[in-house]
Amino acid sequence: MSEPVAYELDADVAVLTVDNPPVNALSRDVRAGLADAVARFERDEAARVAVIVGSGRLFIGGADIGEFGKPPMPPALPNVILAIERCPKPIVAAIHGSALGGGLEIALGAHHRLALAGTRLGLPEVTLGLMPGAGGTQRLPRLTGIPVALDMITGGRPVSAARALESGLIDRLADAGDAGDARRAGIAFARELLADGTARRPSGERDIAPVAAEVFGERRAALARSARGQVAPLAAVDALEAATRLSLDDGLAEERRLFLELMDTPQRAGLIHAFFAERRVAKLPGLQGVEPRGIERVGVVGGGTMGAGIATSMLLAGLDVTLIERDEASGARARETIAGYLDTAVERGKLDAGRRASLLDDAFRTGVAHAALADVDLVVEAVFEDMDVKRELFGALDGVVRPGAILATNTSYLDVDEIARATSRPADVIGLHFFSPAHVMKLLEVVVADATAPEVVTGALALAKRLGKIAVRAGVCDGFIGNRILARYRAAADHVVLDGASPYQVDRAIKAFGFAMGPYEVSDLAGLDIGHATRRRKAAERHPRERVPTFADALFEAGRLGRKSGRGYYRYPEGARQGEPDPDLERVVAEARAAAGIEPRAFDDEEIVRRCLAAMIDEGARVVDEGIAARPLDVDVVFVHGYGFPRHRGGPMKHADAVGLDTVLADLRTFAASDDHFWRPSPLLERLVAEGGDFQDLNDESVA
Ligand code: COA
């Protein structure tokens, strides 16, 4: 294996190259290698200036996240960076690709910084429940001032090299290029500095530009509203404020103290679980080495909101799209919808106007006959959710689409095996369950039916990656992973309302837990007709003991469909996006309780959350036990990316591990005492508790 940090001389320039694939993370060996290389440079009389570069696709991707939560191993990163900063000879950081977290902190410790155009520089620690712990909060504001540092550190989003130059974070911008270009540009810059006699400029010795003291209070107030209970951004504000009052040494000590406190929080554990789960989710046992079916030309059938969103997502990823609608007027409407989505992408700076035009003119066309799909590599169907409609469509596609193409349904609950049987080639059929709006939401459930061929599955996973989406494999059942578990969670919420809590209290409690929206806000957004139709569909097979949220049907029957009708659980005066409580709601709910002979009782917020979460976790365990989800981590990724579950809690299964499976099981048994039809602990949960195991054990066992 090559050295993690190589030292070589280019005449009088020492080049220190970090080489730790895939992202040059600052593992123990890299830290030790850097410390040695800096000491060697200091001693090396032939070297007058040093340049730190990264090999491969980026400079340095940050601390080694895999080491978090384990005993620290010296040398500590802050000390390595101090050695860089205090080196009596000048050191330049030459950055390409990305400099993130500890990687940017190393660059901040260097005396001069150069970045290639296209580089991203950031301190994303808050996204992992942490804050910079190796000088980032103390050195960055000395270069950029407090407002930019507050944005970068509390937001966690990287900035472009051009923005970094503007704000003073870097000193020089060079042309875009690879690691070799960064090395060449870094050496040339270092020689220029020597020739001009430019002195070392340690960031830590500079003064911070003064700011009004209110800046910090205002930021805390804004974060209290936006951070959904996350503590790390607030700790980062404390560290930045400390930078304005303390010496560098004292500020660094305060930063370290706050950093170590965060390292011990469950939020840090939850966010790092989410980080690794997102990367593991596409690595499925049994699919190694299975060559994916190639996809370049795509057909989309149906141009409603869903079909148009899917087509937009495909176009943005550079795929060629033919969209089929029932007549030309509908096709024209679908084109309008897609054009609107692309306009928004242009407005947000994600697409340039020229490319927008060429996507619509060259890569997209509409048609009315299925024959137009004869040569595509993939068809995604997004028509009405009805089995007869889908079977007929798949039968027709079977007759025209070339052999070897993938036939996908975007159904959100129908039986994909049955749809596959409508064709003569069930091995080519798969479910691709996009979430609305499909060009925005990152989650994609890849529903694998009994006969689906492995290369169709890997083809779908490769497609998801190209679309920039996170794919989760799901088995066939009503609702797959997400909607099936959601239905249990929703039912638990409805029971709490039937038994005495107001929908507003439920929404408040769920949001205080960290969800983006409460269940009744979600109903208003989706439309109350959706839930009503589902209840009608399932009414025939309903168990007599199943409790029905008759208040939801009463609202539906009164024409209160949610946002789209201006009134649902909330009122939306004049198309307002934010609903306001409706004084009449309590009457509707009270009538439903009275009709069911229920004596309402009070709930505290904690019990509401425990009930909703216990239902979600228990159904999650069943979904894993039945093989619908490959591992608990797959359930976590679905809920974090598709249903607004608070990322800092890692997902429902990670949350269950954090509170303890025995506690969850005890809750389920307590709830079962008053309703043993709905509350029945899953066999997997009971087994894990009996064995003293947890969901993480199941994640660890499944190594792809
Ligand atoms: N420590 C340890 N492993 C890391 C890592 C880190 N800081 N960053 C990435 N990895 C691993 C990933 O887990 C993945 O491993 P795998 O191939 O076994 O799944 C691999 O490196 C590639 O990462 P991936 O995210 O798939 O590559 P990418 O090119 O899409 O993105 C980064 C590269 C660096 C932008 C991205 O990985 C990232 O954002 N990393 C975290 C950066 C960060 O938060 N640093 C601050 C730490 S406090």
Side-chain angles (χ1 to χ4, degrees), residues 373-396:
L373 303 181
D375 296 324
V376 300
D377 308 311
L378 162 74
V379 181
V380 185
E381 156 283 307
V383 300
F384 189 62
E385 281 284 72
D386 178 275
M387 183 53 90
D388 293 338
V389 175
K390 307 256 186 201
R391 285 181 55 86
E392 193 185 319
L393 173 63
F394 273 74

Side-chain angles (χ1 to χ4, degrees), residues 22-23 25 57-58 61-66 68 98 100-101 120 124-125 128 275-276 279 283:
V23 299
R57 48 199 179 105
L58 50 86
D64 185 343
I65 301 173
F68 291 174
S98 308
L100 298 174
R120 291 160 9 106
E125 287 85 349
L128 298 171
F275 178 87
F276 283 119
R279 285 162 179 76
K283 293 181 187 145

Side-chain angles (χ1 to χ4, degrees), residues 230-543:
Q230 284 192 63
V231 293
L234 290 163
V237 176
D238 292 349
L240 281 160
E241 190 171 33
T244 62
R245 349 178 227 99
L246 302 177
S247 67
L248 178 70
D249 284 351
D250 290 347
L252 288 174
E254 176 62 0
E255 176 195 73
R256 196 70 186 161
R257 186 186 70 74
L258 289 162
F259 171 82
L260 290 173
E261 260 179 33
L262 290 175
M263 192 58 101
D264 278 338
T265 59
Q267 294 193 355
R268 193 274 303 159
L271 286 162
I272 286 177
H273 171 80
F275 178 87
F276 283 119
E278 282 154 11
R279 285 162 179 76
R280 268 191 71 188
V281 80
K283 293 181 187 145
L284 288 164
L287 289 176
Q288 276 66 49
V290 177
E291 192 60 32
R293 288 224 189 133
I295 297 171
E296 288 300 330
R297 285 165 306 170
V298 178
V300 176
V301 184
T305 309
M306 205 56 181
I310 293 170
T312 304
S313 175
M314 304 277 184
L315 287 170
L316 287 171
L319 295 153
D320 180 276
V321 178
T322 303
L323 186 140
I324 303 297
E325 255 296 355
R326 69 173 77 88
D327 51 44
E328 277 176 20
S330 309
R333 266 200 304 280
R335 176 184 281 271
E336 284 297 300
T337 312
I338 294 167
Y341 292 157
L342 294 176
D343 286 340
T344 310
V346 172
E347 278 159 30
R348 297 204 174 143
K350 297 194 168 162
L351 179 68
D352 77 59
R355 182 143 180 266
R356 172 203 176 276
S358 85
L359 290 184
L360 271 182
D361 297 343
D362 308 331
F364 178 72
R365 68 207 63 79
T366 60
V368 290
H370 295 145
L373 303 181
D375 296 324
V376 300
D377 308 311
L378 162 74
V379 181
V380 185
E381 156 283 307
V383 300
F384 189 62
E385 281 284 72
D386 178 275
M387 183 53 90
D388 293 338
V389 175
K390 307 256 186 201
R391 285 181 55 86
E392 193 185 319
L393 173 63
F394 273 74
L397 291 173
D398 191 26
V400 294
V401 180
R402 71 169 177 82
I406 300 176
L407 304 180
T409 168
N410 175 55
T411 180
S412 50
Y413 60 86
L414 292 173
D415 182 344
V416 183
D417 286 314
E418 194 177 336
I419 295 174
R421 282 195 294 272
T423 73
S424 63
R425 39 174 137 170
D428 297 339
V429 177
I430 195 163
L432 290 180
H433 180 211
F434 287 83
F435 287 68
S436 188
H439 57 299
V440 176
M441 295 285 284
K442 279 183 85 85
L443 181 66
L444 179 68
E445 278 182 314
V446 171
V447 186
V448 179
D450 283 347
T452 310
E455 63 276 13
V456 171
V457 181
T458 51
L461 297 177
L463 171 74
K465 194 163 174 141
R466 182 155 173 194
L467 300 181
K469 301 208 182 289
I470 299 182
V472 179
R473 177 209 165 278
V476 176
C477 67
D478 191 334
F480 314 128
I481 299 175
N483 284 340
R484 171 168 160 185
I485 297 174
L486 187 77
R488 294 285 291 175
Y489 154 85
R490 267 311 303 256
D494 288 341
H495 295 179
V496 162
V497 169
L498 281 170
D499 288 336
S502 90
Y504 304 136
Q505 188 193 359
V506 175
D507 280 352
R508 263 198 318 274
I510 289 293
K511 284 195 290 185
F513 175 80
F515 272 90
M517 294 172 81
Y520 299 99
E521 288 173 333
V522 172
S523 284
D524 273 3
L525 181 64
L528 272 69
D529 44 330
I530 305 273
H532 180 76
T534 307
R535 281 188 295 281
R536 272 220 341 235
R537 172 167 68 87
K538 294 188 173 175
E541 62 200 53
R542 183 181 295 150
H543 191 281

